[in-house]
Amino acid sequence: MRARRHIGGGDAKINTASQREPSLSKLVLSSESLNGILDGKRASRDDLLQAYAESLDDPRDLLGLAQTLREKNKGRTITFSKKAFFNAINMCRDTCSYCTYRAEPGDAKASMMPVSRVRELLQMAKRYRCVEALFVTGERPEERYPQVRSWLLREGFSGTAEYLACCSQLALDEGLFPHTNAGNLHADELHLLKGTNVSLGLMLESSSARLAERGMPHHQAPSKVPAARLEVLENAGRLRIPMTTGILVGIGETSEEMIDSILAMRSLHERYGHIQEIILQNFQPEPGTAMGRRPGAQAAYFTRAVALARIAMPDMNIQVPPNLSPDSYQDFLLAGINDWGGISPITPDFVNPEFPWPQLARVDGLSRAAGFELKCRFPVYPEFAQMVPQDLRERMLPMQDDCGLVREDYWR
Ligand SMILES: O=c1nc2n(C[C@H](O)[C@H](O)[C@H](O)CO)c3cc(O)ccc3cc-2c(=O)[nH]1
Ligand SMILES: C[C@H]1O[C@@H](n2cnc3c(N)ncnc32)[C@H](O)[C@@H]1O
Ligand code: SF4
């Protein structure tokens, strides 16, 4: 027997959305398991597999439930981070077949940012009233390239982590808040960076070891073996570091593997309580890479992945970057997201350089038209700020509003 239930009928809070999605105001969930989740039951693996399978015929229940859970837990706020992207060192020990970020020493796009250039860009970022300094590097570049090691030594550092700690301190001194994603780091490196970063990032990408097999995207990327990524994320949990993680959708995983990846992130958070947000990144083929002629993640599949993440983790912060879906990103507001991630007024997305950031005014307008209020957050979400060292937290106070977000008069 299938349970039927009406939710949200006549509820003023979903009026705007129902203008875009007329079915929502009289949402009927036709499966018993979805109704249970709506009532607060934790979604099981079978629930998610079934919800996905049923959504192939008609996605409305899946999306309706995701949107309702989002509203219940996150209200009508959509956040973003006003950031500058520091392409710190883009040489990399690994080679992922989707990646156009990595460079060989001597390439025109090779980057090793001297501390002096980092400081200049920080000052410009501050003039544009950015809040976040996002530091990104390849995977342990000095282990593969002697040129990188000797450059680091000339700059006065024994390795990439030490260099990043110095860059992060500079960011704090210029009034920005660092968030570093340098790939897999050892526990002592995580500990070092916790001292200067309000959060760290490490994409799980996928929990499927199959993707590291011959002919698959992570075959030449030992750091992307799921056990290795999960170990770093666990170490970060033991160190109580607010972590951003996420998955890359559409790189050859099955829908079952995509669901297992979502569950792997949920399990980490249930054990350590430190996953502050989950990024769902849709694969976009980049010219010149091994996967450059593959199709990008299919929009309908990706949207289901977003909704499943919300259903698996009703109160998680869930992010989709707007630049990778330039014509349709506003649709993800109705699939359960509550964050747009970093948007930069001054630097490109070095990972997907073909995809410029949208203008803030446009993101603001589209969010508002869908019934959501755009707010600027720090690279650490308010509910995770208590995990941040006291001295860093104090630096946030003057820029902070009553909710722990960035004051309007600072960023607008
Ligand atoms: O908030 C984050 N966003 C991260 N992002 C998202 C990024 O800011 C953009 O939203 C996407 O690159 C959009 O293309 C990354 C994007 C990359 O392409 C590569 C690495 C990252 C890493 C992070 C990260 O650690 N934290
Ligand atoms: C920094 C993050 O960027 C993502 N990433 C790397 N290459 C691509 C691509 N072609 N399309 C989308 N995301 C990508 C990965 O998830 C990586 O972890
Ligand atoms: S995605 Fe990260 S690990 Fe993979 S090749 Fe690019 S820089 Fe290296």
Side-chain angles (χ1 to χ4, degrees), residues 98-99 203 205 224 248 281-284 286 351-352:
Y98 44 74
C99 179
M203 296 285 279
E205 316 290 13
K224 303 259 165 137
L248 186 51
Q281 180 116 333
N282 48 316
F283 163 63
Q284 284 286 12
E286 289 290 344
V351 180
N352 296 101

Side-chain angles (χ1 to χ4, degrees), residues 282 284 302 320-330 332 355:
N282 48 316
Q284 284 286 12
F302 181 62
V320 168
N323 62 318
L324 299 184
S325 310
D327 303 322
S328 60
Y329 59 87
Q330 62 278 13
F332 300 117
F355 295 86

Side-chain angles (χ1 to χ4, degrees), residues 48 53 81 87 90 99 146 204 299 324:
L48 297 177
S81 172
N87 181 10
N90 62 1
C99 179
L204 173 62
L324 299 184

Side-chain angles (χ1 to χ4, degrees), residues 83 179 181 201 244 277 279 281 321 323-324 349 351-352 357:
K83 80 170 176 199
H179 167 99
N181 182 336
T244 293
E277 68 176 336
I279 304 180
Q281 180 116 333
N323 62 318
L324 299 184
D349 180 353
V351 180
N352 296 101
W357 306 115

Side-chain angles (χ1 to χ4, degrees), residues 176-357:
L176 282 106
F177 294 92
H179 167 99
T180 296
N181 182 336
N184 285 5
L185 293 167
H186 301 148
D188 60 325
E189 297 170 327
L190 292 170
H191 177 77
L192 172 69
L193 289 170
K194 176 175 174 153
T196 46
N197 280 256
V198 296
S199 63
L200 297 177
L202 181 72
M203 296 285 279
L204 173 62
E205 316 290 13
S206 172
S207 65
S208 167
R210 196 179 58 86
L211 298 184
E213 288 173 6
R214 208 185 170 76
M216 301 305 272
H218 295 148
H219 183 55
Q220 294 179 86
S223 83
K224 303 259 165 137
V225 169
R229 293 248 142 181
L230 289 167
E231 189 188 330
V232 179
L233 290 165
E234 285 184 15
N235 284 337
R238 292 185 189 103
L239 289 163
R240 292 185 46 77
I241 297 172
M243 284 304 287
T244 293
T245 187
I247 56 174
L248 186 51
V249 177
I251 51 172
E253 79 284 2
T254 64
S255 55
E256 198 167 330
E257 289 168 334
M258 175 267 286
I259 287 169
D260 283 334
S261 304
I262 290 173
L263 291 173
M265 297 187 290
R266 179 173 76 175
S267 158
L268 277 169
H269 187 56
E270 284 175 349
R271 280 176 289 147
Y272 299 99
H274 68 309
I275 304 297
Q276 63 153 4
E277 68 176 336
I278 282 179
I279 304 180
L280 298 205
Q281 180 116 333
N282 48 316
F283 163 63
Q284 284 286 12
E286 289 290 344
T289 62
M291 288 172 72
R293 287 160 196 272
R294 298 280 191 88
Q298 296 302 303
Y301 170 66
F302 181 62
T303 305
R304 285 177 173 86
V306 174
L308 287 165
R310 170 60 66 204
I311 290 167
M313 291 169 277
D315 59 7
M316 181 54 71
N317 295 306
I318 298 182
Q319 171 192 132
V320 168
N323 62 318
L324 299 184
S325 310
D327 303 322
S328 60
Y329 59 87
Q330 62 278 13
D331 294 354
F332 300 117
L333 288 166
L334 303 180
I337 68 161
N338 67 304
D339 189 78
W340 291 128
I343 299 181
S344 181
I346 51 174
T347 46
D349 180 353
F350 288 99
V351 180
N352 296 101
E354 328 280 305
F355 295 86
W357 306 115

Side-chain angles (χ1 to χ4, degrees), residues 114-189:
V115 167
S116 58
R117 286 244 339 269
V118 170
R119 191 185 284 110
E120 279 166 23
L121 184 52
L122 285 165
Q123 287 164 352
M124 170 141 100
K126 191 65 188 176
R127 283 200 296 278
Y128 277 83
R129 290 182 293 160
C130 291
V131 176
E132 171 178 355
L134 170 66
F135 293 106
V136 175
T137 72
E139 207 66 35
R140 312 195 83 75
E142 70 274 30
E143 286 187 5
R144 174 156 170 185
Y145 299 105
Q147 298 93 319
V148 178
R149 182 175 293 284
S150 52
W151 178 84
L152 281 167
L153 286 172
R154 281 201 304 279
E155 289 281 309
F157 306 109
S158 64
T160 298
E162 206 178 275
Y163 158 77
L164 287 167
C166 169
C167 295
S168 301
Q169 182 60 51
L170 280 180
L172 292 170
D173 294 343
E174 296 294 342
L176 282 106
F177 294 92
H179 167 99
T180 296
N181 182 336
N184 285 5
L185 293 167
H186 301 148
D188 60 325
E189 297 170 327

Side-chain angles (χ1 to χ4, degrees), residues 8-26:
D11 186 336
K13 284 185 292 181
I14 61 171
N15 275 352
T16 317
S18 52
Q19 283 160 15
R20 293 177 43 84
E21 180 72 83
S23 64
L24 238 146
S25 62
K26 30 182 171 18

